[in-house]
Amino acid sequence: MARTTSLDKVRNIGIMAHIDAGKTTTSERILFYCGESHKLGEVHDGAATMDFMVQEQERGITIGSAATSAFWRKHQITLIDTPGHVDFTAEVERSLRVLDGAVALYCAVGGVQPQSEQVWRQSEKYEVPKIAFVNKMDRIGADFFGVVNSIHTVLKANPVPVVIPIGASETFRGVVDLLKMKAIIFDEESNGMAFHEEDIPADLVDTANEWRQNLVEKVAETDDSLLEKFFAGEEITVAEMIPAIRKATIARNIVPVLCGTAFRNKGVQPLLDAIVDYLPSPLDISDVVGSISEEEQAAGVEPPVRKADDDEPFSALAFKIVADKHMGKLVYIRIYSGTLETGATVWNSTREQAQRIGRIVRMHANKQESLETAQAGDIVAVVGLSRTRTGDTICMKESPIILESIEFPTPVISISIKPASRGDNEKLIKGLQALADEDPTFVISFDEETEETIISGMGELHLEIIVDRLKREFGVEADIGRPEVAYRETATVTVEGDYKHVKQSGGSGQYGHVYLRLEPQDAGKGFTFVNEIKGGAIPGEYIPACEKGVIAAMEKGPYAAYPVVDMKVTLYDGTYHEVDSSAIAFELAARQCFKQLMLKGNPQLLEPVMAVEVTLPEDYLGAVTGSICQRRGRIDQMNEKAGMKIVSAYVPLSEMFGYSNTVRTLTQGRGSFTMIFDHYEAVPFIITEQIIAKRKETGKLR
């Protein structure tokens, strides 16, 4: 099937921001001005197209990333509206992995907030080019230039305004286009559909000239031909500026900055123009390169490469899974190369399984448009990939490739869950499994000691939404336990020793004897296994079993029955028996040896520490800082923004349960806070003792 939109006119973008910066409202305005929706959907009245989940409409927040497609200036824009709440960071992570560009949205009053930093770091990890949009210019305290400065100082980016505001708060009525040097005024009666150009207001001419000069200088620095013209004092035209800005944006040398107020319907059309003019098409991003093994690298094997071309072998990445009540399992994929047709048999190279594509749909939020064919650059959903998981590569068996997968953060909070009715146990497990398929940061486990089902996630809200969805979508009422923090344990000194597993019961026995060395590693380094066996002290076929035994022991440490992290384990000696030795014997020996050595290695309990930011009136500053200190928090800094105090602190997650009520009470409802996971650090000894005692009391540690 012939392509209806050429690849150079395709834009796959996401909107990313802190919670309440106006992502969904901006997305709604984009759909409205592109003609995809005929009325303005609002978040506050539960009518937003992109927030279609019941939980999103009730709470006024985005929970899942929603995809839709629209056209502007004959360009196809596939837009993904991502959540701003830290509990749903996985949605941001998987979206950024498959997008070509992004709009970083900032509140004109709040500026660069904690989650703004988090999503920026996520986008930088995937080298995503960005433009910035300073929203809510109609709010009291709006400060466009202050936000531009924050983008520079906090995010270490190179923000370059391409527009400046005309007025602020109640006087905001439009923007000055620094390329055309014209004022753009938006008509409120037509919901911003109508706008006109006029001369720049007299009181803004000097400011506009100054920022126009800044724009020309910043862009010229990235383009040799423009730099020559600049130094020669020659005029640089709009036709020369646009491709130069585009090139610098795609290279991530600059971040073009625009502004407006999506809610008041001002500034969105220039944003759409900037998306088309400055953000990349699939042709502008690097060719995707497949993964190869270390053995293949050593042998000089070149990794497979795929270009963004319909004629290339088909390759795609599964980045999102949704359980649709009508169509079953929907797998969202980004097609990097080739063409996919309905009915085709494809190869999941990650899991080495063949599956048939039953249906291809282009998503419009919660509505679907059936397609016979999807092509390079498309983001679509498919039916038929029942065994596919998030991060899997889909390709053709005759041209295999494995693309870089998606890394997700580890859950930091857990609760026990059981059905309110005994007869609902099967429905509960089925519902939990379906939700875990959708969400890689939602983990299900079973505690054999207490015989409890444990669910883990990124925060209280995350698990609250899970329980609510179980009830609404799967008809399961569930009883939940108190939230528990996802502690970790580690050793703090190097220890070594041996363990001999010997068992004789009738016929053949079991014999495995290992010498291990345990060494602590830097925080975040993870697990390293080193084989130093020489002279065949342990046969090579038993080495993987030793590593397997260590990994099994680390899943539930001997100190407090929490996972062990940041350890280097070296297998340096051992003995074996020609008859009685087996893989299982060495696995058991390594497991027991690790446990014994761990307890000798001065073990330490680690807890997740959150970066907390509280916004409050100055009158309540003393009470709030006192509450943070009472919760074992450390005040990092205090700033002022738009007449409010901003308190930044680091606080253990275990102390933050119920803090939203505390903040509301202490500030008479005028304060708010956000928090994101920052790092793990050691738990004070007296608290460690309390945690261990409680674990023993509840049967989770023996």
Side-chain angles (χ1 to χ4, degrees):
M1 180 181 168
R3 177 180 281 282
T4 54
T5 305
S6 61
L7 259 179
D8 65 314
K9 288 184 166 55
V10 171
R11 301 288 182 271
N12 293 318
I13 67 157
I15 298 184
M16 60 184 209
H18 188 88
I19 193 170
D20 286 336
K23 294 179 305 301
T24 300
T25 303
T26 304
S27 299
E28 295 296 319
R29 296 312 185 264
I30 287 173
L31 294 180
F32 179 70
Y33 295 126
C34 290
E36 290 298 321
S37 60
H38 301 293
K39 73 179 188 72
L40 293 170
E42 305 294 3
V43 175
H44 63 265
D45 61 16
T49 305
M50 301 295 277
D51 283 353
F52 54 84
M53 290 173 62
V54 175
Q55 294 84 357
E56 293 176 317
Q57 294 169 355
E58 289 179 349
R59 298 164 190 264
I61 62 171
T62 302
I63 293 170
S65 52
T68 193
S69 293
F71 283 85
W72 182 257
R73 288 171 37 194
K74 298 182 179 179
H75 287 67
Q76 178 184 301
I77 300 173
T78 297
L79 172 69
I80 297 183
D81 173 27
T82 62
H85 197 289
V86 63
D87 283 19
F88 309 104
T89 187
E91 294 290 332
V92 182
E93 187 80 28
R94 58 174 150 207
S95 299
L96 289 171
R97 169 65 181 83
V98 298
L99 294 175
D100 301 329
V103 177
L105 204 73
Y106 302 97
C107 171
V109 180
V112 179
Q113 295 169 283
Q115 188 64 5
S116 311
E117 291 185 65
Q118 174 82 352
V119 296
W120 186 274
R121 286 198 298 270
Q122 287 173 293
S123 72
E124 285 293 286
K125 181 169 71 176
Y126 296 117
E127 300 181 349
V128 177
K130 294 168 285 289
I131 59 177
F133 184 71
V134 180
N135 193 29
K136 302 191 177 184
M137 284 299 302
D138 59 317
R139 284 187 58 188
I140 295 172
D143 183 0
F144 172 76
F145 299 109
V147 177
V148 172
N149 185 57
S150 293
I151 295 171
H152 175 65
T153 55
V154 178
L155 302 177
K156 311 301 182 196
N158 186 17
V160 181
V162 293
V163 306
I164 60 170
I166 301 174
S169 61
E170 70 275 1
T171 66
F172 178 75
R173 60 192 186 99
V175 299
V176 174
D177 182 334
L178 296 176
L179 287 174
K180 297 179 181 177
M181 290 300 280
K182 287 286 185 180
I184 303 173
I185 309 300
F186 297 88
D187 176 41
E188 293 194 16
E189 289 186 8
S190 67
N191 289 323
M193 288 289 285
F195 57 91
H196 66 276
E197 293 183 356
E198 60 182 51
D199 291 337
I200 300 170
D203 61 335
L204 269 180
V205 170
D206 289 346
T207 305
N209 283 328
E210 181 186 334
W211 284 101
R212 161 76 182 190
Q213 181 76 0
N214 175 75
L215 171 62
V216 173
E217 284 182 16
K218 290 287 183 69
V219 175
E221 286 172 2
T222 68
D223 189 291
D224 290 342
S225 62
L226 292 190
L227 194 62
E228 285 181 20
K229 291 190 74 173
F230 177 76
F231 282 128
E234 298 176 32
E235 181 67 23
I236 299 174
T237 66
V238 174
E240 291 173 310
M241 286 287 289
I242 289 176
I245 295 172
R246 175 181 179 80
K247 182 182 173 185
T249 304
I250 293 171
R252 294 168 43 246
N253 292 324
I254 67 168
V255 179
V257 187
L258 299 97
C259 67
T261 166
F263 184 64
R264 300 293 179 193
N265 311 306
K266 297 172 185 174
V268 178
Q269 293 96 328
L271 173 62
L272 278 163
D273 285 337
I275 289 169
V276 166
D277 289 337
Y278 307 141
L279 289 180
S281 76
L283 294 172
D284 296 311
I285 63 171
S286 303
D287 300 337
V288 292
V289 180
S291 305
I292 57 174
S293 66
E294 290 181 3
E295 291 80 10
E296 288 174 317
Q297 282 182 338
V301 175
E302 291 291 326
V305 177
R306 297 284 188 272
K307 299 180 185 294
D309 190 317
D310 297 344
D311 297 326
E312 285 272 298
F314 169 72
S315 66
L317 187 76
F319 70 95
K320 182 178 171 74
I321 292 168
V322 174
D324 187 275
K325 63 174 70 174
H326 303 294
M327 291 193 290
K329 184 174 179 176
L330 270 177
V331 179
Y332 285 67
I333 62 172
R334 159 67 193 264
I335 301 177
Y336 285 97
S337 62
T339 300
L340 180 66
E341 295 181 350
T342 301
T345 298
V346 295
W347 181 247
N348 183 326
S349 55
T350 309
R351 303 185 186 279
E352 298 187 338
Q353 294 174 338
Q355 289 196 275
R356 184 178 174 276
I357 301 294
R359 191 177 173 192
I360 306 171
V361 294
R362 178 167 281 126
M363 301 302 296
H364 297 283
N366 65 333
K367 298 182 175 67
Q368 301 96 24
E369 171 196 354
S370 289
L371 303 173
E372 287 300 314
T373 305
Q375 296 150 318
D378 282 344
I379 293 177
V380 295
V382 297
V383 178
L385 303 181
S386 58
R387 295 187 294 276
T388 295
R389 298 287 180 267
T390 299
D392 288 1
T393 299
I394 311 299
C395 57
M396 293 299 173
K397 193 172 183 179
E398 57 270 22
S399 302
I401 188 171
I402 296 180
L403 304 177
E404 181 190 359
S405 191
I406 309 171
E407 293 180 8
F408 293 104
T410 306
V412 295
I413 187 172
S414 303
I415 56 174
S416 61
I417 187 167
K418 61 181 181 182
S421 169
R422 285 189 178 180
D424 282 348
N425 194 59
E426 192 174 325
K427 281 170 69 179
L428 174 72
I429 298 302
K430 186 179 177 182
L432 288 174
Q433 195 55 61
L435 294 172
D437 281 350
E438 288 188 16
D439 185 351
T441 59
F442 172 59
V443 177
I444 313 161
S445 59
F446 186 75
D447 192 312
E448 292 179 1
E449 270 96 9
T450 60
E451 296 186 343
E452 290 178 319
T453 298
I454 307 295
I455 59 173
S456 306
M458 300 306 298
E460 289 181 275
L461 179 61
H462 186 195
L463 296 182
E464 188 183 318
I465 296 292
I466 291 287
V467 173
D468 190 55
R469 289 186 66 189
L470 277 172
K471 178 182 176 180
R472 297 189 196 237
E473 296 173 29
F474 299 93
V476 181
E477 294 277 359
D479 296 329
I480 60 173
R482 283 175 55 83
E484 283 202 19
V485 174
Y487 293 100
R488 299 287 183 263
E489 51 189 86
T490 192
T492 57
V493 298
T494 299
V495 288
E496 59 183 40
D498 71 310
Y499 184 87
K500 187 183 291 183
H501 175 75
V502 182
K503 191 174 181 181
Q504 199 70 44
S505 55
S508 61
Q510 290 184 4
Y511 184 95
H513 184 199
V514 299
Y515 287 78
L516 297 179
R517 183 183 307 114
L518 273 59
E519 299 170 76
Q521 299 199 111
D522 294 338
K525 200 75 183 288
F527 167 63
T528 307
F529 182 83
V530 180
N531 173 24
E532 287 187 356
I533 293 295
K534 295 182 178 67
I538 298 175
E541 64 263 31
Y542 299 143
I543 304 299
C546 296
E547 183 177 2
K548 186 179 176 183
V550 170
I551 292 171
M554 290 178 67
E555 288 174 358
K556 201 169 189 179
Y559 187 45
Y562 288 108
V564 179
V565 296
D566 303 327
M567 296 295 299
K568 178 182 177 182
V569 179
T570 303
L571 175 67
Y572 64 93
D573 204 357
T575 63
Y576 72 102
H577 190 280
E578 288 189 356
V579 177
D580 293 343
S581 285
S582 62
I584 188 67
F586 275 98
E587 182 182 334
L588 292 169
R591 183 184 295 195
Q592 290 304 316
C593 188
F594 179 89
K595 287 181 177 180
Q596 288 185 6
L597 291 175
M598 186 70 191
L599 293 172
K600 295 177 182 177
N602 192 17
Q604 194 173 61
L605 205 60
L606 305 173
E607 63 183 343
V609 175
M610 314 302 285
V612 178
E613 187 176 278
V614 187
T615 304
L616 70 156
E618 187 172 2
D619 294 350
Y620 309 104
L621 187 61
V624 168
T625 54
S627 75
I628 291 171
C629 295
Q630 286 171 359
R631 293 169 181 262
R632 297 194 285 124
R634 303 190 309 276
I635 306 293
D636 181 49
Q637 56 183 342
M638 285 187 268
N639 297 304
E640 190 167 332
K641 192 181 291 179
M644 300 285 275
K645 289 290 183 182
I646 313 290
V647 179
S648 301
Y650 296 101
V651 190
L653 175 61
S654 60
E655 304 287 348
M656 291 301 295
F657 296 134
Y659 192 61
S660 55
N661 291 331
T662 302
V663 168
R664 281 197 292 269
T665 302
L666 291 176
T667 63
Q668 298 184 4
R670 296 172 65 190
S672 62
F673 85 100
T674 60
M675 67 176 185
I676 60 174
F677 169 74
D678 193 81
H679 65 281
Y680 273 92
E681 67 180 41
V683 180
F685 182 70
I686 189 165
I687 296 174
T688 298
E689 286 187 316
Q690 294 168 3
I691 293 168
I692 289 175
K694 190 176 177 180
R695 300 277 286 175
K696 287 178 177 176
E697 188 183 312
T698 56
K700 294 176 180 177
L701 176 65
R702 296 181 181 177

